[in-house]
Amino acid sequence: VLWVAVPLDAGRMAEAAARLVGRHDFTSFRAVSCQAKSPVRTLDSLIVERIGAEIHIAVNSRSFLHHQVRNIAGTLKLVGEGRWTPDDVSRALAARNRAAGGPTAPPDGLCLEAVRYPETAGTSRESAQSCNINASENSATTTPAADRPGISRPLQAMNQE
């Protein structure tokens, strides 16, 4: 859980997130030290939703760049705080320059929720877990999450209201 001092606007964050879905050059959202041969990735979905006092960000893709999800989360946080607009996110993506992107969010609350492999010769090679974080008890548990397709890495941001 990432604690944020001000309430976040989940609607504006979702609007900005929609601009990142699809096949793009994500240079602005990868670590400078990223060793991937190509910065082009396809985000199948990027969902921002409010669940109580929490904002959940779920990203589905075949693969990710180094710190891509954390950099997207940090950028969406700026939008939620009103410091950036969805147009700023579009400009950062188009810049293809890490300096144009938002800050790297800390890894707190970030977890790999599911990995799906195609079935091979009638056997399933599926591995899935969900990370549930209970901030009040400062504990984490993992449970099966067979209902989520693709790879999903949610980041939970808790608002102090």
Side-chain angles (χ1 to χ4, degrees):
V1 176
L2 170 63
W3 291 91
V4 179
V6 298
L8 299 177
D9 184 338
R12 295 284 281 175
M13 292 172 72
E15 181 184 343
R19 297 176 184 215
L20 299 174
V21 174
R23 185 176 174 85
H24 302 287
D25 179 326
F26 281 97
T27 298
S28 297
F29 297 94
R30 75 181 195 169
V32 173
S33 62
C34 182
Q35 296 179 12
K37 291 180 182 178
S38 171
V40 176
R41 293 291 184 271
T42 301
L43 292 187
D44 297 319
S45 66
L46 178 52
I47 299 166
V48 177
E49 63 182 336
R50 177 176 294 282
I51 300 176
E54 295 179 346
I55 302 287
H56 291 238
I57 300 171
V59 183
N60 290 293
S61 181
R62 179 183 172 137
S63 63
F64 296 97
L65 298 166
H66 187 203
H67 287 176
Q68 180 181 4
V69 173
R70 290 175 58 191
N71 293 335
I72 288 171
T75 300
L76 293 177
K77 178 180 167 280
L78 292 178
V79 174
E81 293 171 332
R83 295 169 52 196
W84 275 34
T85 67
D87 287 339
D88 292 326
V89 174
S90 294
R91 279 191 285 277
L93 180 65
R96 297 180 179 163
N97 181 333
R98 179 62 194 114
T104 304
D108 306 344
L110 180 69
C111 65
L112 176 64
E113 186 175 274
V115 177
R116 305 258 191 259
Y117 296 99
E119 289 191 25
T120 308
T123 60
S124 176
R125 296 181 56 211
E126 185 174 292
S127 172
Q129 289 189 337
S130 173
C131 182
N132 300 316
I133 299 175
N134 182 333
S136 63
E137 296 178 13
N138 198 21
S139 64
T141 59
T142 58
T143 56
D147 60 337
R148 287 294 205 54
I151 298 172
S152 179
R153 294 182 178 194
L155 179 101
Q156 300 170 344
M158 177 71 82
N159 285 318
Q160 293 177 331
E161 297 183 47

